[in-house]
Amino acid sequence: MTSLELLAPARTADIGIAAIRCGADAVYIGGPSFGARAAAGNSVEDIKKLCREASFYGVRVYVTVNTLTSDAKEKEALVKMILAMKDIGVSAFIMQDESLPSLLAEYGPWREEFHASTQCTITGPERAAELVRAGFSRLILERQLSLEQIKEIRSAVPSCVELECFVHGALCVCYSGACYLSECLTGRSANRGECSQPCRSRYDLVRDDGKVLARNQALLSLKDLNLSAHLAELADAGVVSFKIEGRLKDASYVKNVVRHYSLELDRIVEAGGGRYRRASFGHCNGGFVPDVNKTFNRSYTSLYLEGSRGDWCSGVATKGVGEYIGKVGRVRTEGRSAIFRISSDKIIGNGDGLCFATPAGGLAGLRADRVRTLSAACGWAQDDSTILQEIECKSNAQLKEGADLWRNNDLKFEKELENNMPRRLMDVALELKTDWEDGCCLLTLEAVREDGTRKNLILGPVAMQKADRQERMAGIYATQLSKASGRHSFSLRSVQGDLPLMGAAAINALRRDLSECLDAIVAATPPRYKPLPPLPAQVPEGQAFSPEAAQDIVDRAKQTSSPLPTQDPESQAFSPAHTGARPLMTSRYCILYELGLCRKNEQGRRLIANHTVSLHNNGKVFPLAFDCKNCTMSVCYMQKK
């Protein structure tokens, strides 16, 4: 049976605990430093706190240490930090530096695993095999892979090595771990957790003869990933860990998305006929109904999973838009207020945050100060599910009839997330046994928790009276014992022996006492991994990616002054190999394809043939190179106008 793991992000220990209560099987969190998110560090004590909560359900905690160090002093500090978290309950460390497993082997043995970060740019079987040889027991795959490529990687590495795949959240436009655009522009390195997010900036796309093909657009900004509908396919392809992006996200985002994906995995397990199980214990009951459209998103894409291109660019939604409401009706102004009507199947509440697309192609926000529901008979409603609403807000000159409207803050839903959390419970099967001697009863409650933990609660022997009506008494015991207490959901499965006469309050006390005893026992989760082959004495030359190598790429890019060629006869495109320019980032995403200018179609051939194109932003020019044979695009080192 294969264990499927839902892996949740945690900016803080408290957010991690919230994720666990919503159904996460594992949580990843940044340590005190070197976590590739400069704004998401946590103390060792906070991580201990998270590990204590996680251990009860057999949930694993992974610590990110995937910042590249700049010198020997930093690497020494990184090793010391990892050693400080050794044996405190952490299950694994997520790393980008390929030399760390062999370096840390000197301080073993290790109960913790080493996972290769997505920043290791795992795009194919060869790269995956390199990382296994370096000592990693799990590979976190590049996001821009197809199912077929994932299957190829699965077949190329030992069965004891697990595959982890991102399924939800923000997307970098480039291959992970291989972007130097931020560092080149601002000196803030993405590989050191300081990305300035230039992919969310606006650019002009300009042909070499000065013709502007696109003006002031977020041409490098991708939609957010949502693979909710593809989890079963990923599991069939060999993925066992389904990762949610978001170590900078707030608690409401994490709770909502985790609950959504946990329910999806439960459905896969239920439909799997015993093929799958969840990687941790306990099930969530009740609570809010998740809706991933209601929290931060730039609209959604499945990216390249199905092996084909789609509409990947986020357009105006570089900062998140939430759920789509509809188109704004006629707008009128009264004093300092703007009033408009909208027909939608979404009910807007007073105080909700809204945003709309401006005529200039940007995004502007407003708050619904007052909402009035009107009759659908006004002729606005398109079908029975739509509701006509009138919204009053502060006047905004950019708000025009026909504008697309989204809700990015649903106050009612946010309150539900905060106040109606699900309850995560461990199933416990009970057997009640009694032994009578000289009017005294020895009562034993035998408990078997779903993780296999066993615990007996013994009462007596004590003088007690046998119940005259045994069948009725058995019903009372079953009713009072088959309830939830603390973190457990009890179920009385069998009764052996005559039952003593006992009131409901006394039986409830037995259940609560047993729950407290079980609370003290962490989940008995068996190891999932077979031992990996011994680590090499040293990482083979060329495998370890260092900051020096990163800087070399930037330096060599700056020295490049070769003009871009007009055409590559073989691939009918511009390729970095032919330009001589060093790419700052490479991606499956293609601006020309998104704009309908692919060189394989008529319009692309007409507008792009015999021309090169560049991105322009505030006087900086970034030549683009296209490898149509492999369907990739590269952004090359900037040139001055």
Side-chain angles (χ1 to χ4, degrees), residues 427-439:
D427 287 333
V428 183
L430 297 177
E431 291 187 6
L432 178 59
K433 298 179 181 180
T434 62
D435 187 15
W436 293 86
E437 185 175 349
D438 298 332

Side-chain angles (χ1 to χ4, degrees), residues 20-311:
I20 292 169
R21 292 175 180 171
C22 289
D25 300 298
V27 174
Y28 66 105
I29 187 170
S33 55
F34 300 106
R37 293 291 188 279
N42 294 273
S43 69
V44 174
E45 284 304 313
D46 283 341
I47 293 173
K48 282 183 181 179
K49 172 185 171 182
L50 177 59
C51 289
R52 283 194 295 270
E53 177 68 20
S55 65
F56 178 80
Y57 299 103
V59 170
R60 290 171 166 82
V61 175
Y62 307 144
V63 175
T64 58
V65 287
N66 50 346
T67 296
L68 288 178
T69 53
S70 61
D71 52 39
K73 185 177 180 180
E74 270 199 349
K75 179 162 284 191
E76 181 182 359
L78 171 59
V79 170
K80 286 182 178 179
M81 188 191 75
I82 293 174
L83 292 174
M85 292 184 284
K86 190 175 187 291
D87 299 324
I88 67 168
V90 172
S91 296
F93 295 103
I94 300 173
M95 306 169 175
Q96 182 181 6
D97 188 335
E98 299 162 43
S99 67
L100 279 176
S102 57
L103 179 61
L104 291 168
E106 302 175 16
Y107 302 93
W110 290 83
R111 60 171 295 279
E112 296 86 355
E113 301 151 7
F114 301 144
H115 295 177
S117 170
T118 187
Q119 291 167 291
C120 292
T121 321
I122 306 168
T123 57
E126 297 81 6
R127 179 64 176 146
E130 286 179 1
L131 292 165
V132 172
R133 287 194 295 270
F136 292 102
S137 60
R138 177 183 286 191
L139 308 179
I140 307 173
L141 302 179
E142 162 60 42
R143 292 167 172 89
Q144 300 181 32
L145 298 180
S146 67
L147 274 172
E148 291 306 312
Q149 289 174 308
I150 292 173
K151 291 175 183 178
E152 290 175 3
I153 293 173
R154 175 67 278 170
S155 63
V157 298
S159 59
C160 61
V161 176
E162 293 196 339
L163 300 186
E164 179 179 308
C165 179
F166 279 92
V167 294
H168 195 93
L171 287 166
C172 293
V173 66
C174 68
Y175 288 136
S176 300
C179 181
Y180 312 99
L181 187 57
S182 173
E183 184 178 354
C184 184
L185 279 169
T186 65
R188 293 166 54 184
S189 171
N191 287 311
R192 290 178 59 77
E194 300 170 341
C195 182
S196 59
Q197 295 193 319
C199 57
R200 307 298 180 190
S201 297
R202 292 180 172 273
Y203 299 89
D204 295 337
L205 182 66
V206 183
R207 212 166 59 179
D208 55 8
D209 61 357
K211 181 178 178 60
V212 179
L213 303 175
R215 189 181 298 278
N216 195 31
Q217 295 183 29
L219 296 171
L220 294 176
S221 178
L222 298 190
K223 296 178 179 179
D224 287 356
L225 186 65
N226 185 336
L227 299 184
S228 301
H230 300 280
L231 301 185
E233 298 168 78
L234 287 167
D236 288 341
V239 173
V240 295
S241 181
F242 305 89
K243 187 172 192 174
I244 297 167
E245 182 276 338
R247 274 198 295 130
L248 295 178
K249 296 293 197 299
D250 59 20
S252 65
Y253 175 93
V254 172
K255 289 189 285 188
N256 185 29
V257 177
V258 167
R259 190 78 187 102
H260 170 79
Y261 277 88
S262 183
L263 290 171
E264 292 297 322
L265 281 186
D266 284 345
R267 294 186 186 103
I268 292 172
V269 170
E270 185 177 353
R275 182 180 176 188
Y276 301 119
R277 67 171 294 270
R278 294 295 294 271
S280 63
F281 301 104
H283 57 277
C284 296
N285 294 318
F288 64 86
V289 177
D291 185 345
V292 294
N293 293 311
K294 288 183 177 290
T295 45
F296 183 98
N297 70 84
R298 300 175 179 90
S299 72
Y300 291 120
T301 176
S302 59
L303 207 59
Y304 195 66
L305 191 71
E306 296 172 279
S308 60
R309 294 187 177 277
D311 180 15

Side-chain angles (χ1 to χ4, degrees), residues 228-501:
S228 301
H230 300 280
L231 301 185
E233 298 168 78
L234 287 167
D236 288 341
V239 173
V240 295
S241 181
F242 305 89
K243 187 172 192 174
I244 297 167
E245 182 276 338
R247 274 198 295 130
L248 295 178
K249 296 293 197 299
D250 59 20
S252 65
Y253 175 93
V254 172
K255 289 189 285 188
N256 185 29
V257 177
V258 167
R259 190 78 187 102
H260 170 79
Y261 277 88
S262 183
L263 290 171
E264 292 297 322
L265 281 186
D266 284 345
R267 294 186 186 103
I268 292 172
V269 170
E270 185 177 353
R275 182 180 176 188
Y276 301 119
R277 67 171 294 270
R278 294 295 294 271
S280 63
F281 301 104
H283 57 277
C284 296
N285 294 318
F288 64 86
V289 177
D291 185 345
V292 294
N293 293 311
K294 288 183 177 290
T295 45
F296 183 98
N297 70 84
R298 300 175 179 90
S299 72
Y300 291 120
T301 176
S302 59
L303 207 59
Y304 195 66
L305 191 71
E306 296 172 279
S308 60
R309 294 187 177 277
D311 180 15
W312 293 356
C313 186
S314 70
V316 299
T318 58
K319 296 182 180 179
V321 291
E323 63 179 335
Y324 184 71
I325 300 297
K327 288 191 178 293
V328 173
R330 184 174 61 87
V331 182
R332 72 179 191 271
T333 301
E334 293 184 3
R336 295 184 178 181
S337 297
I339 300 173
F340 64 91
R341 292 180 177 183
I342 191 163
S343 182
S344 174
D345 59 353
K346 309 291 192 305
I347 299 175
I348 301 169
N350 292 335
D352 282 356
L354 306 172
C355 59
F356 61 92
T358 66
L363 203 65
L366 56 87
R367 189 181 71 171
D369 293 328
R370 185 178 301 172
V371 180
R372 190 160 63 99
T373 301
L374 305 176
S375 171
C378 292
W380 286 69
Q382 298 175 356
D383 55 56
D384 293 339
S385 65
T386 58
I387 300 168
L388 179 62
Q389 298 166 90
E390 187 174 77
I391 301 171
E392 181 178 342
C393 60
K394 287 184 179 180
S395 180
N396 189 316
Q398 298 183 90
L399 183 62
K400 304 293 183 182
E401 182 178 357
D404 287 314
L405 187 74
W406 293 268
R407 173 166 53 191
N408 52 17
N409 187 18
D410 185 332
L411 288 184
K412 183 178 179 181
F413 185 69
E414 289 296 319
K415 289 178 181 177
E416 185 75 1
L417 289 176
E418 183 177 355
N419 300 322
N420 190 18
M421 283 284 285
R423 190 178 182 187
R424 185 165 181 171
L425 301 170
M426 290 269 272
D427 287 333
V428 183
L430 297 177
E431 291 187 6
L432 178 59
K433 298 179 181 180
T434 62
D435 187 15
W436 293 86
E437 185 175 349
D438 298 332
C440 292
C441 178
L442 179 67
L443 186 148
T444 304
L445 262 180
E446 295 183 355
V448 181
R449 204 165 62 180
E450 64 178 275
D451 65 332
T453 300
R454 293 178 176 272
K455 184 70 178 178
N456 290 348
L457 183 67
I458 300 174
L459 177 65
V462 63
M464 302 181 76
Q465 179 183 345
K466 286 185 182 181
D468 293 332
R469 299 169 62 184
Q470 286 289 312
E471 187 174 341
R472 180 175 179 276
M473 197 72 240
I476 294 174
Y477 273 91
T479 299
Q480 301 307 317
L481 289 177
S482 299
K483 292 182 178 180
S485 281
R487 305 181 187 190
H488 300 94
S489 177
F490 294 98
S491 176
L492 183 60
R493 303 293 176 84
S494 66
V495 176
Q496 298 179 27
D498 293 330
L499 293 172
L501 186 63

Side-chain angles (χ1 to χ4, degrees), residues 552-568 573-584 612 623-626 634-639:
D552 180 61
I553 288 176
V554 175
D555 290 343
R556 282 191 287 169
K558 292 179 179 179
Q559 295 168 7
T560 298
S561 57
S562 305
L564 295 173
T566 57
Q567 186 173 332
D568 164 25
F574 309 116
S575 166
H578 294 84
T579 65
R582 298 291 299 181
L584 294 173
T612 59
L624 299 180
F626 302 91
S634 296
V635 178
C636 299
Y637 178 69
M638 66 181 180
Q639 301 170 346

Side-chain angles (χ1 to χ4, degrees), residues 502-561:
M502 188 178 290
I507 299 173
N508 286 336
L510 285 176
R511 188 189 68 247
R512 288 193 294 268
D513 289 345
L514 183 56
S515 181
E516 289 178 5
C517 293
L518 289 168
D519 273 345
I521 305 173
V522 299
T525 309
R528 290 181 300 170
Y529 301 110
K530 299 173 184 177
L532 282 171
L535 293 173
Q538 59 183 17
V539 179
E541 185 177 356
Q543 268 195 34
F545 187 76
S546 67
E548 291 79 10
Q551 187 60 47
D552 180 61
I553 288 176
V554 175
D555 290 343
R556 282 191 287 169
K558 292 179 179 179
Q559 295 168 7
T560 298
S561 57

